[in-house]
Amino acid sequence: MNRRPVPSVSSSPGAAGKTGGDCLTCALRRQPAFKPKPEEQIAFIREMKVFHRHLAAGSEIIHQGEVDAELFTLFSGWAFRHRTLPDGRRQILNFLLPGDLLGLQANMMAAAEYGIEALTDVELCQFPRNGTSRLLQDMPELAFDLLWLGSREERLVDANLTSVGQHTARERVATLILSLYRRCAHLDLVKDNTFQFPLTRVHIADSLGLSLVHTTKTWTYLRRMGLFTVEGGMLKLLDPRLTSRWAQTFDEDWVQRPLL
Amino acid sequence: MNRRPVPSVSSSPGAAGKTGGDCLTCALRRQPAFKPKPEEQIAFIREMKVFHRHLAAGSEIIHQGEVDAELFTLFSGWAFRHRTLPDGRRQILNFLLPGDLLGLQANMMAAAEYGIEALTDVELCQFPRNGTSRLLQDMPELAFDLLWLGSREERLVDANLTSVGQHTARERVATLILSLYRRCAHLDLVKDNTFQFPLTRVHIADSLGLSLVHTTKTWTYLRRMGLFTVEGGMLKLLDPRLTSRWAQTFDEDWVQRPLL
DNA sequence: CGGCCAATTGACTGGCGTCAATAGGGGTGG
DNA sequence: CCACCCCTATTGACGCCAGTCAATTGGCCG
């Protein structure tokens, strides 16, 4: 089953600047992964952005149960979305990378039924509490982008559920690594098959529905099988094709994606 | 692990009528569960609806891998959304009840990464292939409803993933029953704690990431524990509060929901 | 009547959880 | 500078929950 004590809430206020980065010259936006956006829409988004916020690793970005949550775009760093049961068991639903939208679901519903926590130090572009409604009201051209981002997140959860429900432990770990590898590659965060891998064993276990101990054993097994090496927080996939075979998964379509 | 042979594709053409029901006098829409909608929007939806389609239980509504899929509203009956691996293992992602939107994700993405199959005989309101785009273009007031419906489906998947990843077999089965019970209750489909329960053991197993045999044993155990009785395809929850304790889950907010 | 499918039950196996001991790195204060 | 603590990772031993194999039953239908 896999029960752990309820952890103490870590919450750091975090630094905030009114204009950490100007949306019009956004470095992230220049990535080829993102769909170019009309300048008028970017200006509108800049107008609506209330903060450019820095948070330390481990900070809670959205609390489970929070009412009327804010909307964010993850500008840099990693985060994860999770549901925690009253007895402390935690399921990580999906991981979040730069360009991902945080809190859309919570923004639509009365209360957030999930929490979001920073996995590394992160930078966030923060929008107001009623962000979604205002976006739809004043710039309906952005509705498609919101729907797209929501659909994509659901697809991530679908894939993870399929992995947790149907895959063996080895397949699950391989699938997770491969999935993160591909997402990082799409963001140009992979050099020489190597990318930053900030997850601890606990994150992997909670994401895949495995115990911590068995996660370690499976991880070690796959590493010794020659799937990858780890050094200084960087993971190198030795043979993406081989990993793909282990993962028992299919490719997805990688198209240019919207960035709010 | 739980591997089964790849089933043969069952596909019945199904009857289709141009105007099975007029949206303006839609019986489903009169349910108190659904948010009243301005007549102008309903007229627009009626205009866009291309078919009122009847399909038999077991029919494939959306094929996994289908490109440019249609958009549907489930008018009556049950369906389920699933991902099937190349070797035949299948994960049921969520179940669909009257009023639910089918194919939104597929409509946003290039190809459907999931399939949808009718669990009972169903009636569908069918919209055109580019339904989402046209809706957003011509009736942007509906964008909020689309986002809401998408967010709600993701919430269902979140809940199921949490159950599959963290719950024991007994908790999973109890959670599933309770979840369907609550959804049916919200649609006024529950009388005297009793509602139609069309799932077979295989559906339950594939939804919860359990083997067929163990699903049967767990089901029988919970029935003998006095959680529920089954008779003639109808399930009666004997003690919703007791089931809720077994399910180890929290309540959700039940607000009036949009209906496309 | 015979074939097919869903469901049930028992016996056995094995993958994964649990318990526990150990190692190692980083921060902190004596 | 080192002792001490805390947190993460690793490994071995053991146990149990759930998967697998297989036999049986009952309903439905041709």
Side-chain angles (χ1 to χ4, degrees):
Chain A
M1 243 200 324
N2 204 3
R3 198 165 302 190
R4 262 174 296 101
V6 180
S8 63
V9 176
S10 80
S11 169
S12 69
K18 271 277 181 199
T19 52
D22 189 327
C23 300
L24 288 168
T25 60
C26 175
L28 189 56
R29 201 177 287 287
R30 277 201 299 273
Q31 288 278 338
F34 297 102
K35 201 177 63 178
K37 202 182 262 318
E39 205 161 299
E40 154 204 18
Q41 290 179 24
I42 301 179
F44 177 79
I45 291 167
R46 177 179 61 172
E47 205 55 39
M48 217 172 112
K49 176 174 164 182
V50 292
F51 272 128
H52 190 88
R53 189 179 287 276
H54 292 250
L55 287 179
S59 307
E60 294 255 15
I61 299 170
I62 290 180
H63 290 267
Q64 192 168 335
E66 181 173 345
V67 297
D68 207 10
E70 277 129 338
L71 193 67
F72 305 90
T73 287
L74 184 55
F75 178 75
S76 72
W78 294 47
F80 63 89
R81 204 165 64 87
H82 65 92
R83 259 171 101 108
T84 301
L85 302 178
D87 62 12
R89 286 179 282 177
R90 177 179 73 172
Q91 176 65 43
I92 292 183
L93 302 164
N94 60 299
F95 293 97
L96 300 157
L97 293 179
D100 287 339
L101 192 62
L102 282 63
L104 177 60
Q105 230 197 98
N107 216 264
M108 302 298 299
M109 302 295 170
E113 302 203 348
Y114 56 85
I116 296 186
E117 185 177 323
L119 192 57
T120 65
D121 292 352
V122 296
E123 292 177 82
L124 299 167
C125 306
Q126 181 175 340
F127 301 104
R129 297 190 179 280
N130 58 351
T132 312
S133 298
R134 273 183 51 194
L135 271 168
L136 294 179
Q137 280 277 326
D138 299 342
M139 187 62 66
E141 297 88 339
L142 289 173
F144 186 91
D145 292 348
L146 284 173
L147 268 173
W148 195 96
L149 290 165
S151 296
R152 182 176 159 287
E153 180 168 274
E154 184 180 348
R155 191 177 61 177
L156 291 178
V157 183
D158 287 350
N160 196 19
L161 171 53
T162 305
S163 186
V164 173
Q166 303 301 323
H167 282 164
T168 64
R170 289 169 187 176
E171 289 170 335
R172 290 185 221 182
V173 173
T175 300
L176 175 64
I177 294 173
L178 189 63
S179 161
L180 293 173
Y181 171 83
R182 285 177 174 161
R183 289 174 66 188
C184 284
H186 191 236
L187 292 171
D188 199 30
L189 295 172
V190 173
K191 314 281 179 209
D192 184 34
N193 282 354
T194 306
F195 64 108
Q196 186 198 5
F197 195 89
L199 317 200
T200 68
R201 296 290 173 275
V202 176
H203 296 120
I204 302 172
D206 285 352
S207 163
L208 301 181
L210 296 169
S211 74
L212 174 58
V213 174
H214 200 250
T215 299
T216 293
K217 290 175 179 170
T218 306
W219 176 270
T220 306
Y221 174 85
L222 288 178
R223 186 163 44 71
R224 289 189 182 144
M225 287 294 292
L227 286 207
F228 59 89
T229 58
V230 183
E231 203 181 319
M234 306 294 287
L235 188 149
K236 175 169 188 172
L237 257 201
L238 297 178
D239 184 352
R241 190 149 322 225
L242 175 64
T243 305
S244 171
R245 213 167 315 131
W246 272 96
Q248 276 279 349
T249 184
F250 21 55
D251 282 336
E252 299 159 23
D253 51 326
W254 291 105
V255 298
Q256 276 201 322
R257 39 175 296 183
L259 172 66
L260 208 62
Chain B
M1 240 203 321
N2 206 2
R3 198 164 303 189
R4 263 174 297 101
V6 181
S8 63
V9 176
S10 81
S11 169
S12 68
K18 271 274 177 197
T19 52
D22 189 329
C23 300
L24 288 168
T25 60
C26 176
L28 189 57
R29 201 178 287 286
R30 278 202 299 271
Q31 287 278 341
F34 297 102
K35 203 176 62 176
K37 199 179 264 315
E39 206 161 299
E40 153 206 16
Q41 290 179 25
I42 301 178
F44 177 78
I45 289 167
R46 178 179 61 171
E47 206 54 40
M48 216 171 112
K49 176 175 164 183
V50 292
F51 273 128
H52 190 87
R53 189 180 287 278
H54 292 253
L55 287 178
S59 306
E60 294 256 13
I61 299 170
I62 290 180
H63 290 265
Q64 191 167 335
E66 182 174 344
V67 297
D68 206 11
E70 276 128 340
L71 194 66
F72 304 90
T73 287
L74 184 54
F75 177 76
S76 73
W78 293 48
F80 62 89
R81 205 165 62 88
H82 65 92
R83 260 171 101 110
T84 301
L85 302 178
D87 63 11
R89 286 178 282 175
R90 176 179 73 173
Q91 177 65 43
I92 291 182
L93 303 164
N94 61 298
F95 293 97
L96 300 157
L97 293 179
D100 286 341
L101 193 62
L102 281 63
L104 177 60
Q105 232 196 94
N107 216 264
M108 303 299 298
M109 303 294 170
E113 302 202 349
Y114 57 84
I116 297 186
E117 185 178 323
L119 191 59
T120 66
D121 293 352
V122 296
E123 290 177 82
L124 299 166
C125 305
Q126 181 176 339
F127 300 105
R129 297 191 180 279
N130 58 351
T132 313
S133 300
R134 274 184 50 194
L135 271 168
L136 295 178
Q137 280 278 326
D138 300 340
M139 187 62 65
E141 297 88 340
L142 289 172
F144 187 92
D145 292 348
L146 284 173
L147 268 173
W148 195 96
L149 289 165
S151 297
R152 182 176 159 285
E153 180 168 273
E154 184 180 349
R155 189 178 63 178
L156 291 178
V157 183
D158 287 351
N160 196 20
L161 172 53
T162 305
S163 186
V164 173
Q166 304 301 323
H167 283 163
T168 65
R170 290 168 187 177
E171 288 170 335
R172 290 184 220 182
V173 173
T175 301
L176 175 64
I177 294 173
L178 189 62
S179 161
L180 293 173
Y181 171 84
R182 285 176 175 160
R183 288 173 66 189
C184 283
H186 191 237
L187 293 171
D188 198 29
L189 294 173
V190 173
K191 315 282 178 207
D192 183 32
N193 282 353
T194 305
F195 64 109
Q196 187 200 3
F197 195 88
L199 316 202
T200 69
R201 298 289 174 276
V202 176
H203 296 121
I204 302 173
D206 285 352
S207 163
L208 301 181
L210 296 169
S211 73
L212 173 58
V213 174
H214 199 249
T215 299
T216 291
K217 288 174 178 169
T218 306
W219 177 270
T220 305
Y221 174 85
L222 289 179
R223 187 162 44 73
R224 289 189 181 144
M225 287 295 290
L227 285 208
F228 58 89
T229 57
V230 183
E231 203 181 319
M234 305 295 288
L235 189 150
K236 175 168 189 172
L237 256 202
L238 296 178
D239 185 351
R241 189 151 321 227
L242 175 64
T243 304
S244 169
R245 214 168 314 129
W246 272 96
Q248 276 279 351
T249 183
F250 22 54
D251 282 335
E252 299 159 22
D253 52 326
W254 291 105
V255 300
Q256 276 200 321
R257 40 176 296 189
L259 171 66
L260 207 63

PDB file of all heavy atoms in Angstrom, chain A residues 221-246:
ATOM      1  N   TYR A 221      18.054  -1.635 -11.397  1.00  0.00           N
ATOM      2  CA  TYR A 221      18.047  -2.706 -12.384  1.00  0.00           C
ATOM      3  C   TYR A 221      18.151  -2.147 -13.802  1.00  0.00           C
ATOM      4  O   TYR A 221      18.975  -2.603 -14.606  1.00  0.00           O
ATOM      5  CB  TYR A 221      16.773  -3.541 -12.239  1.00  0.00           C
ATOM      6  CG  TYR A 221      16.618  -4.576 -13.314  1.00  0.00           C
ATOM      7  CD1 TYR A 221      17.226  -5.830 -13.215  1.00  0.00           C
ATOM      8  CD2 TYR A 221      15.869  -4.308 -14.461  1.00  0.00           C
ATOM      9  CE1 TYR A 221      17.088  -6.774 -14.217  1.00  0.00           C
ATOM     10  CE2 TYR A 221      15.726  -5.247 -15.468  1.00  0.00           C
ATOM     11  CZ  TYR A 221      16.345  -6.479 -15.341  1.00  0.00           C
ATOM     12  OH  TYR A 221      16.210  -7.402 -16.340  1.00  0.00           O
ATOM     13  N   LEU A 222      17.333  -1.147 -14.091  1.00  0.00           N
ATOM     14  CA  LEU A 222      17.334  -0.602 -15.456  1.00  0.00           C
ATOM     15  C   LEU A 222      18.654   0.103 -15.762  1.00  0.00           C
ATOM     16  O   LEU A 222      19.137   0.066 -16.895  1.00  0.00           O
ATOM     17  CB  LEU A 222      16.162   0.370 -15.638  1.00  0.00           C
ATOM     18  CG  LEU A 222      14.772  -0.271 -15.699  1.00  0.00           C
ATOM     19  CD1 LEU A 222      13.705   0.801 -15.836  1.00  0.00           C
ATOM     20  CD2 LEU A 222      14.675  -1.251 -16.849  1.00  0.00           C
ATOM     21  N   ARG A 223      19.204   0.738 -14.747  1.00  0.00           N
ATOM     22  CA  ARG A 223      20.494   1.404 -14.957  1.00  0.00           C
ATOM     23  C   ARG A 223      21.562   0.359 -15.288  1.00  0.00           C
ATOM     24  O   ARG A 223      22.344   0.530 -16.218  1.00  0.00           O
ATOM     25  CB  ARG A 223      20.865   2.204 -13.710  1.00  0.00           C
ATOM     26  CG  ARG A 223      22.101   3.056 -13.874  1.00  0.00           C
ATOM     27  CD  ARG A 223      22.229   4.133 -12.802  1.00  0.00           C
ATOM     28  NE  ARG A 223      21.939   3.654 -11.460  1.00  0.00           N
ATOM     29  CZ  ARG A 223      22.724   2.834 -10.766  1.00  0.00           C
ATOM     30  NH1 ARG A 223      23.868   2.405 -11.297  1.00  0.00           N
ATOM     31  NH2 ARG A 223      22.375   2.459  -9.558  1.00  0.00           N
ATOM     32  N   ARG A 224      21.559  -0.737 -14.551  1.00  0.00           N
ATOM     33  CA  ARG A 224      22.540  -1.792 -14.804  1.00  0.00           C
ATOM     34  C   ARG A 224      22.290  -2.501 -16.130  1.00  0.00           C
ATOM     35  O   ARG A 224      23.201  -3.121 -16.688  1.00  0.00           O
ATOM     36  CB  ARG A 224      22.510  -2.803 -13.662  1.00  0.00           C
ATOM     37  CG  ARG A 224      23.099  -2.214 -12.389  1.00  0.00           C
ATOM     38  CD  ARG A 224      23.287  -3.250 -11.290  1.00  0.00           C
ATOM     39  NE  ARG A 224      23.812  -2.590 -10.095  1.00  0.00           N
ATOM     40  CZ  ARG A 224      23.471  -2.924  -8.844  1.00  0.00           C
ATOM     41  NH1 ARG A 224      22.606  -3.910  -8.644  1.00  0.00           N
ATOM     42  NH2 ARG A 224      23.992  -2.292  -7.823  1.00  0.00           N
ATOM     43  N   MET A 225      21.043  -2.443 -16.598  1.00  0.00           N
ATOM     44  CA  MET A 225      20.739  -3.019 -17.904  1.00  0.00           C
ATOM     45  C   MET A 225      21.279  -2.144 -19.034  1.00  0.00           C
ATOM     46  O   MET A 225      21.192  -2.506 -20.210  1.00  0.00           O
ATOM     47  CB  MET A 225      19.227  -3.169 -18.099  1.00  0.00           C
ATOM     48  CG  MET A 225      18.604  -4.281 -17.304  1.00  0.00           C
ATOM     49  SD  MET A 225      19.177  -5.903 -17.840  1.00  0.00           S
ATOM     50  CE  MET A 225      18.426  -5.997 -19.456  1.00  0.00           C
ATOM     51  N   GLY A 226      21.794  -0.970 -18.662  1.00  0.00           N
ATOM     52  CA  GLY A 226      22.390  -0.119 -19.681  1.00  0.00           C
ATOM     53  C   GLY A 226      21.437   0.873 -20.320  1.00  0.00           C
ATOM     54  O   GLY A 226      21.722   1.387 -21.400  1.00  0.00           O
ATOM     55  N   LEU A 227      20.317   1.147 -19.656  1.00  0.00           N
ATOM     56  CA  LEU A 227      19.385   2.102 -20.256  1.00  0.00           C
ATOM     57  C   LEU A 227      19.888   3.535 -20.128  1.00  0.00           C
ATOM     58  O   LEU A 227      19.681   4.340 -21.017  1.00  0.00           O
ATOM     59  CB  LEU A 227      18.001   2.003 -19.599  1.00  0.00           C
ATOM     60  CG  LEU A 227      17.136   0.801 -19.944  1.00  0.00           C
ATOM     61  CD1 LEU A 227      15.659   1.140 -19.783  1.00  0.00           C
ATOM     62  CD2 LEU A 227      17.401   0.331 -21.355  1.00  0.00           C
ATOM     63  N   PHE A 228      20.542   3.834 -19.016  1.00  0.00           N
ATOM     64  CA  PHE A 228      20.924   5.224 -18.783  1.00  0.00           C
ATOM     65  C   PHE A 228      22.008   5.307 -17.728  1.00  0.00           C
ATOM     66  O   PHE A 228      22.290   4.325 -17.030  1.00  0.00           O
ATOM     67  CB  PHE A 228      19.706   6.039 -18.326  1.00  0.00           C
ATOM     68  CG  PHE A 228      19.077   5.520 -17.061  1.00  0.00           C
ATOM     69  CD1 PHE A 228      19.499   5.968 -15.824  1.00  0.00           C
ATOM     70  CD2 PHE A 228      18.073   4.556 -17.105  1.00  0.00           C
ATOM     71  CE1 PHE A 228      18.934   5.477 -14.657  1.00  0.00           C
ATOM     72  CE2 PHE A 228      17.499   4.074 -15.939  1.00  0.00           C
ATOM     73  CZ  PHE A 228      17.935   4.536 -14.721  1.00  0.00           C
ATOM     74  N   THR A 229      22.602   6.469 -17.621  1.00  0.00           N
ATOM     75  CA  THR A 229      23.538   6.773 -16.543  1.00  0.00           C
ATOM     76  C   THR A 229      23.104   8.095 -15.903  1.00  0.00           C
ATOM     77  O   THR A 229      22.432   8.900 -16.533  1.00  0.00           O
ATOM     78  CB  THR A 229      24.979   6.930 -17.062  1.00  0.00           C
ATOM     79  OG1 THR A 229      24.987   7.964 -18.053  1.00  0.00           O
ATOM     80  CG2 THR A 229      25.481   5.648 -17.679  1.00  0.00           C
ATOM     81  N   VAL A 230      23.505   8.260 -14.648  1.00  0.00           N
ATOM     82  CA  VAL A 230      23.194   9.497 -13.951  1.00  0.00           C
ATOM     83  C   VAL A 230      24.483  10.049 -13.364  1.00  0.00           C
ATOM     84  O   VAL A 230      25.284   9.300 -12.802  1.00  0.00           O
ATOM     85  CB  VAL A 230      22.177   9.269 -12.807  1.00  0.00           C
ATOM     86  CG1 VAL A 230      21.816  10.592 -12.145  1.00  0.00           C
ATOM     87  CG2 VAL A 230      20.936   8.590 -13.334  1.00  0.00           C
ATOM     88  N   GLU A 231      24.653  11.367 -13.513  1.00  0.00           N
ATOM     89  CA  GLU A 231      25.847  11.988 -12.946  1.00  0.00           C
ATOM     90  C   GLU A 231      25.572  13.462 -12.703  1.00  0.00           C
ATOM     91  O   GLU A 231      25.215  14.190 -13.635  1.00  0.00           O
ATOM     92  CB  GLU A 231      27.026  11.812 -13.925  1.00  0.00           C
ATOM     93  CG  GLU A 231      28.380  11.915 -13.237  1.00  0.00           C
ATOM     94  CD  GLU A 231      29.514  11.763 -14.247  1.00  0.00           C
ATOM     95  OE1 GLU A 231      29.398  10.905 -15.150  1.00  0.00           O
ATOM     96  OE2 GLU A 231      30.480  12.537 -14.153  1.00  0.00           O
ATOM     97  N   GLY A 232      25.711  13.844 -11.467  1.00  0.00           N
ATOM     98  CA  GLY A 232      25.525  15.256 -11.115  1.00  0.00           C
ATOM     99  C   GLY A 232      24.147  15.775 -11.439  1.00  0.00           C
ATOM    100  O   GLY A 232      23.992  16.889 -11.941  1.00  0.00           O
ATOM    101  N   GLY A 233      23.131  14.959 -11.203  1.00  0.00           N
ATOM    102  CA  GLY A 233      21.766  15.411 -11.457  1.00  0.00           C
ATOM    103  C   GLY A 233      21.369  15.407 -12.918  1.00  0.00           C
ATOM    104  O   GLY A 233      20.256  15.808 -13.255  1.00  0.00           O
ATOM    105  N   MET A 234      22.296  14.962 -13.789  1.00  0.00           N
ATOM    106  CA  MET A 234      21.973  14.871 -15.214  1.00  0.00           C
ATOM    107  C   MET A 234      21.790  13.409 -15.596  1.00  0.00           C
ATOM    108  O   MET A 234      22.585  12.549 -15.215  1.00  0.00           O
ATOM    109  CB  MET A 234      23.092  15.483 -16.058  1.00  0.00           C
ATOM    110  CG  MET A 234      23.464  16.902 -15.678  1.00  0.00           C
ATOM    111  SD  MET A 234      22.133  18.087 -16.007  1.00  0.00           S
ATOM    112  CE  MET A 234      22.199  18.172 -17.797  1.00  0.00           C
ATOM    113  N   LEU A 235      20.751  13.135 -16.338  1.00  0.00           N
ATOM    114  CA  LEU A 235      20.488  11.768 -16.790  1.00  0.00           C
ATOM    115  C   LEU A 235      20.803  11.658 -18.276  1.00  0.00           C
ATOM    116  O   LEU A 235      20.369  12.492 -19.076  1.00  0.00           O
ATOM    117  CB  LEU A 235      19.027  11.396 -16.529  1.00  0.00           C
ATOM    118  CG  LEU A 235      18.632   9.927 -16.777  1.00  0.00           C
ATOM    119  CD1 LEU A 235      17.518   9.516 -15.834  1.00  0.00           C
ATOM    120  CD2 LEU A 235      18.199   9.681 -18.211  1.00  0.00           C
ATOM    121  N   LYS A 236      21.551  10.617 -18.627  1.00  0.00           N
ATOM    122  CA  LYS A 236      21.878  10.387 -20.034  1.00  0.00           C
ATOM    123  C   LYS A 236      21.220   9.100 -20.506  1.00  0.00           C
ATOM    124  O   LYS A 236      21.499   8.026 -19.979  1.00  0.00           O
ATOM    125  CB  LYS A 236      23.393  10.299 -20.226  1.00  0.00           C
ATOM    126  CG  LYS A 236      23.796   9.947 -21.659  1.00  0.00           C
ATOM    127  CD  LYS A 236      25.283  10.129 -21.898  1.00  0.00           C
ATOM    128  CE  LYS A 236      25.612   9.970 -23.376  1.00  0.00           C
ATOM    129  NZ  LYS A 236      27.020  10.321 -23.666  1.00  0.00           N
ATOM    130  N   LEU A 237      20.370   9.204 -21.492  1.00  0.00           N
ATOM    131  CA  LEU A 237      19.742   8.023 -22.097  1.00  0.00           C
ATOM    132  C   LEU A 237      20.740   7.407 -23.062  1.00  0.00           C
ATOM    133  O   LEU A 237      21.115   8.016 -24.063  1.00  0.00           O
ATOM    134  CB  LEU A 237      18.483   8.416 -22.862  1.00  0.00           C
ATOM    135  CG  LEU A 237      17.118   8.170 -22.258  1.00  0.00           C
ATOM    136  CD1 LEU A 237      16.055   8.134 -23.341  1.00  0.00           C
ATOM    137  CD2 LEU A 237      17.084   6.898 -21.457  1.00  0.00           C
ATOM    138  N   LEU A 238      21.167   6.193 -22.765  1.00  0.00           N
ATOM    139  CA  LEU A 238      22.207   5.593 -23.604  1.00  0.00           C
ATOM    140  C   LEU A 238      21.647   5.122 -24.938  1.00  0.00           C
ATOM    141  O   LEU A 238      22.342   5.132 -25.947  1.00  0.00           O
ATOM    142  CB  LEU A 238      22.857   4.426 -22.857  1.00  0.00           C
ATOM    143  CG  LEU A 238      23.580   4.865 -21.586  1.00  0.00           C
ATOM    144  CD1 LEU A 238      24.162   3.665 -20.868  1.00  0.00           C
ATOM    145  CD2 LEU A 238      24.664   5.885 -21.901  1.00  0.00           C
ATOM    146  N   ASP A 239      20.404   4.687 -24.933  1.00  0.00           N
ATOM    147  CA  ASP A 239      19.832   4.169 -26.178  1.00  0.00           C
ATOM    148  C   ASP A 239      18.318   4.414 -26.174  1.00  0.00           C
ATOM    149  O   ASP A 239      17.550   3.563 -25.740  1.00  0.00           O
ATOM    150  CB  ASP A 239      20.129   2.673 -26.295  1.00  0.00           C
ATOM    151  CG  ASP A 239      19.647   2.108 -27.624  1.00  0.00           C
ATOM    152  OD1 ASP A 239      18.954   2.827 -28.365  1.00  0.00           O
ATOM    153  OD2 ASP A 239      19.948   0.942 -27.900  1.00  0.00           O
ATOM    154  N   PRO A 240      17.900   5.580 -26.643  1.00  0.00           N
ATOM    155  CA  PRO A 240      16.463   5.928 -26.609  1.00  0.00           C
ATOM    156  C   PRO A 240      15.591   4.853 -27.242  1.00  0.00           C
ATOM    157  O   PRO A 240      14.481   4.591 -26.763  1.00  0.00           O
ATOM    158  CB  PRO A 240      16.408   7.226 -27.422  1.00  0.00           C
ATOM    159  CG  PRO A 240      17.752   7.831 -27.252  1.00  0.00           C
ATOM    160  CD  PRO A 240      18.709   6.675 -27.182  1.00  0.00           C
ATOM    161  N   ARG A 241      16.089   4.208 -28.275  1.00  0.00           N
ATOM    162  CA  ARG A 241      15.280   3.195 -28.935  1.00  0.00           C
ATOM    163  C   ARG A 241      15.063   1.994 -28.015  1.00  0.00           C
ATOM    164  O   ARG A 241      13.962   1.454 -27.926  1.00  0.00           O
ATOM    165  CB  ARG A 241      15.962   2.748 -30.238  1.00  0.00           C
ATOM    166  CG  ARG A 241      15.075   1.870 -31.096  1.00  0.00           C
ATOM    167  CD  ARG A 241      15.375   2.054 -32.567  1.00  0.00           C
ATOM    168  NE  ARG A 241      15.675   3.443 -32.886  1.00  0.00           N
ATOM    169  CZ  ARG A 241      15.159   4.089 -33.940  1.00  0.00           C
ATOM    170  NH1 ARG A 241      14.318   3.461 -34.727  1.00  0.00           N
ATOM    171  NH2 ARG A 241      15.497   5.330 -34.191  1.00  0.00           N
ATOM    172  N   LEU A 242      16.121   1.610 -27.325  1.00  0.00           N
ATOM    173  CA  LEU A 242      16.010   0.484 -26.394  1.00  0.00           C
ATOM    174  C   LEU A 242      15.038   0.826 -25.269  1.00  0.00           C
ATOM    175  O   LEU A 242      14.157   0.031 -24.920  1.00  0.00           O
ATOM    176  CB  LEU A 242      17.395   0.164 -25.808  1.00  0.00           C
ATOM    177  CG  LEU A 242      17.436  -0.917 -24.737  1.00  0.00           C
ATOM    178  CD1 LEU A 242      17.020  -2.263 -25.321  1.00  0.00           C
ATOM    179  CD2 LEU A 242      18.820  -1.019 -24.114  1.00  0.00           C
ATOM    180  N   THR A 243      15.174   2.028 -24.747  1.00  0.00           N
ATOM    181  CA  THR A 243      14.261   2.461 -23.685  1.00  0.00           C
ATOM    182  C   THR A 243      12.826   2.448 -24.184  1.00  0.00           C
ATOM    183  O   THR A 243      11.904   2.048 -23.478  1.00  0.00           O
ATOM    184  CB  THR A 243      14.636   3.874 -23.219  1.00  0.00           C
ATOM    185  OG1 THR A 243      16.010   3.874 -22.833  1.00  0.00           O
ATOM    186  CG2 THR A 243      13.785   4.293 -22.039  1.00  0.00           C
ATOM    187  N   SER A 244      12.654   2.867 -25.401  1.00  0.00           N
ATOM    188  CA  SER A 244      11.309   2.878 -25.980  1.00  0.00           C
ATOM    189  C   SER A 244      10.728   1.475 -26.015  1.00  0.00           C
ATOM    190  O   SER A 244       9.534   1.280 -25.796  1.00  0.00           O
ATOM    191  CB  SER A 244      11.380   3.466 -27.383  1.00  0.00           C
ATOM    192  OG  SER A 244      10.164   3.304 -28.050  1.00  0.00           O
ATOM    193  N   ARG A 245      11.567   0.495 -26.277  1.00  0.00           N
ATOM    194  CA  ARG A 245      11.065  -0.868 -26.297  1.00  0.00           C
ATOM    195  C   ARG A 245      10.659  -1.299 -24.894  1.00  0.00           C
ATOM    196  O   ARG A 245       9.630  -1.940 -24.693  1.00  0.00           O
ATOM    197  CB  ARG A 245      12.133  -1.815 -26.871  1.00  0.00           C
ATOM    198  CG  ARG A 245      11.522  -2.981 -27.648  1.00  0.00           C
ATOM    199  CD  ARG A 245      12.587  -3.711 -28.476  1.00  0.00           C
ATOM    200  NE  ARG A 245      13.466  -2.787 -29.189  1.00  0.00           N
ATOM    201  CZ  ARG A 245      14.788  -2.866 -29.171  1.00  0.00           C
ATOM    202  NH1 ARG A 245      15.392  -3.804 -28.460  1.00  0.00           N
ATOM    203  NH2 ARG A 245      15.518  -2.009 -29.863  1.00  0.00           N
ATOM    204  N   TRP A 246      11.466  -0.928 -23.914  1.00  0.00           N
ATOM    205  CA  TRP A 246      11.115  -1.232 -22.519  1.00  0.00           C
ATOM    206  C   TRP A 246       9.816  -0.558 -22.120  1.00  0.00           C
ATOM    207  O   TRP A 246       9.025  -1.087 -21.353  1.00  0.00           O
ATOM    208  CB  TRP A 246      12.225  -0.751 -21.575  1.00  0.00           C
ATOM    209  CG  TRP A 246      13.288  -1.756 -21.372  1.00  0.00           C
ATOM    210  CD1 TRP A 246      14.480  -1.836 -22.031  1.00  0.00           C
ATOM    211  CD2 TRP A 246      13.267  -2.852 -20.454  1.00  0.00           C
ATOM    212  NE1 TRP A 246      15.183  -2.912 -21.581  1.00  0.00           N
ATOM    213  CE2 TRP A 246      14.475  -3.557 -20.612  1.00  0.00           C
ATOM    214  CE3 TRP A 246      12.351  -3.299 -19.507  1.00  0.00           C
ATOM    215  CZ2 TRP A 246      14.790  -4.683 -19.862  1.00  0.00           C
ATOM    216  CZ3 TRP A 246      12.654  -4.426 -18.767  1.00  0.00           C
ATOM    217  CH2 TRP A 246      13.869  -5.106 -18.947  1.00  0.00           C
TER     218      TRP A 246
END
